């Protein structure tokens, strides 16, 4: 579609059909739902939705799923839906996690291009895109969606985001969700300026991830915090401080970690 300010013109029939699909306040439509509502074949519905999207009246979220562009959008050609809203549409049950949640709770001012999503759905690809928005998507067990989350309204959908302590616990479990171990340490330090260490320890222990406990202890020590709150016995083995980096590094016998990243202040 050309980058014009106004969407392409519509015939009277198309206007009636769009009113049928979205006249009751719905914001999204699938090919199957459109076919049923308009009384046409699935193939015909798919062609109509694609044509309306090409003219700027709809935005394709993923195959077979479209969202209506608001009629008051200043520039329909470049309008984008809230990435959290799209995540809830596609990956429910899910929650916003990692650096995206840290930014939401003002634990970091660093801006990342992608939105981090943790979902109970099976994930084929970690890096995905919906309607021009980029995502880092991780699969989690359904039990991980039962605690430590806060509901936030985005439009007509309630989207879960990990709470402050849960956010940092997740990042300690998988530093990639925090943009690496150094940024995770910065977020940890910010959290502890406004929250209780005991609450964070409880969240990390609830994840039942031995490596996360070890990373927490080591980072607390580097930052100069008291590590007495960590009373859980450490698991065996020497997991990497940052699994995304080379495994080269000295072992910390105290914390049972291979220190493969420099996080010194």
């Amino acid at each position: 579609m050309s980058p014009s300010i106004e969407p392409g013109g519509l015939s009277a029939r198309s206007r009636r059909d769009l009113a049928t699909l979205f006249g009751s306040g719905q914001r999204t439509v699938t090919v199957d739902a459109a076919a049923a509502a308009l009384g046409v074949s699935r193939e015909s519905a798919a062609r109509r939705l694609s044509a309306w999207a090409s003219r700027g009246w709809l935005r394709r979220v993923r195959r077979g799923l479209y969202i209506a562009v608001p009629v008051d959008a200043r520039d329909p050609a470049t309008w984008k839906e809230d990435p959290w809203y799209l995540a809830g549409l596609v990956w429910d049950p899910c929650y916003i996690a990692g650096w995206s949640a840290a930014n939401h709770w003002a634990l970091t001012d660093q801006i990342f291009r992608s939105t981090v999503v943790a979902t109970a759905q099976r994930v084929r690809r970690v890096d995905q895109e919906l309607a021009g928005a980029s995502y880092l998507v991780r699969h989690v067990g359904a039990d991980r969606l039962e605690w430590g989350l806060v509901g936030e309204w985005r439009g007509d959908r309630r989207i879960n985001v990990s709470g402050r302590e849960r956010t940092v616990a997740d990042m300690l479990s998988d530093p990639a969700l925090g943009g690496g171990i150094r940024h995770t340490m910065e977020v940890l330090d910010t959290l502890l300026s406004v929250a209780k260490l005991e609450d964070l320890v409880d969240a990390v222990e609830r994840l039942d991830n031995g490596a996360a406990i070890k990373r927490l202890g080591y980072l607390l020590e580097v930052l100069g915090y008291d590590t007495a709150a960590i009373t859980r016995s450490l698991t065996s083995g020497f997991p990497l401080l940052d699994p995304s980096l080379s495994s080269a590094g000295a072992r910390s016998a105290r914390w049972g970690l291979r220190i493969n990243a420099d996080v010194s202040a």
Side-chain angles (χ1 to χ4, degrees):
M1 185 180 75
S2 63
S4 58
I5 297 300
E6 297 296 333
L10 288 174
S11 66
R13 176 187 175 185
S14 290
R15 290 181 182 278
R16 288 195 301 269
D17 287 346
L18 284 171
T20 297
L21 297 179
F22 300 104
S24 298
Q26 303 95 319
R27 297 192 62 199
T28 62
V29 67
T30 64
V31 171
D32 289 336
L38 300 177
V40 299
S41 68
R42 193 177 188 281
E43 292 72 19
S44 177
R47 287 194 298 270
R48 294 189 193 186
L49 293 173
S50 179
W52 292 327
S54 71
R55 295 170 185 164
W57 294 96
L58 303 179
R59 186 77 78 245
R60 182 180 183 273
V61 177
R62 65 173 181 178
R63 185 175 181 180
L65 176 63
Y66 293 81
I67 188 167
V69 175
V71 295
D72 58 352
R74 295 189 63 181
D75 186 353
T78 60
W79 173 84
K80 291 184 179 180
E81 180 55 90
D82 177 2
W84 287 30
Y85 189 91
L86 295 177
L89 280 177
V90 173
W91 289 300
D92 188 54
C94 67
Y95 65 93
I96 305 301
W99 63 64
S100 301
N103 189 266
H104 175 73
W105 297 117
L107 298 177
T108 180
D109 57 7
Q110 186 167 334
I111 304 300
F112 291 82
R113 179 173 176 268
S114 299
T115 299
V116 182
V117 180
T119 175
Q121 294 185 28
R122 290 296 174 183
V123 178
R124 293 184 178 181
R125 290 178 291 109
V126 172
D127 296 308
Q128 299 195 40
E129 184 173 304
L130 300 176
S134 298
Y135 295 88
L136 174 66
V137 189
R138 285 284 197 271
H139 169 74
V140 295
D143 60 309
R144 296 294 175 90
L145 283 85
E146 296 176 351
W147 64 277
L149 308 182
V150 178
E152 296 282 343
W153 284 99
R154 296 295 180 103
D156 58 352
R157 295 187 67 87
R158 189 172 185 270
I159 310 299
N160 282 329
V161 57
S162 54
R164 296 183 307 180
E165 289 80 7
R166 175 65 187 277
T167 295
V168 177
D170 281 350
M171 293 164 72
L172 290 166
S173 179
D174 182 359
L177 300 182
I181 196 65
R182 176 171 281 279
H183 186 246
T184 294
M185 182 176 73
E186 294 173 0
V187 173
L188 166 65
D189 195 22
T190 302
L191 173 70
L192 294 180
S193 70
V194 296
K196 295 180 180 178
L197 174 58
E198 291 78 7
D199 293 338
L200 173 60
V201 172
D202 288 345
V204 175
E205 290 185 342
R206 191 163 183 178
L207 286 179
D208 196 25
N209 183 310
I213 288 286
K214 294 179 177 184
R215 293 185 186 112
L216 174 58
Y218 179 77
L219 294 181
L220 288 175
E221 193 170 71
V222 170
L223 290 168
Y225 289 97
D226 186 358
T227 61
I230 300 179
T231 58
R232 175 175 170 176
S233 298
L234 301 181
T235 56
S236 60
F238 287 82
L240 299 177
L241 178 60
D242 191 331
S244 69
L245 302 178
S246 165
S247 60
R251 291 184 174 185
S252 167
R254 172 169 167 75
W255 294 110
L257 278 172
R258 185 174 291 279
I259 311 305
N260 67 326
D262 182 9
V263 293
S264 56

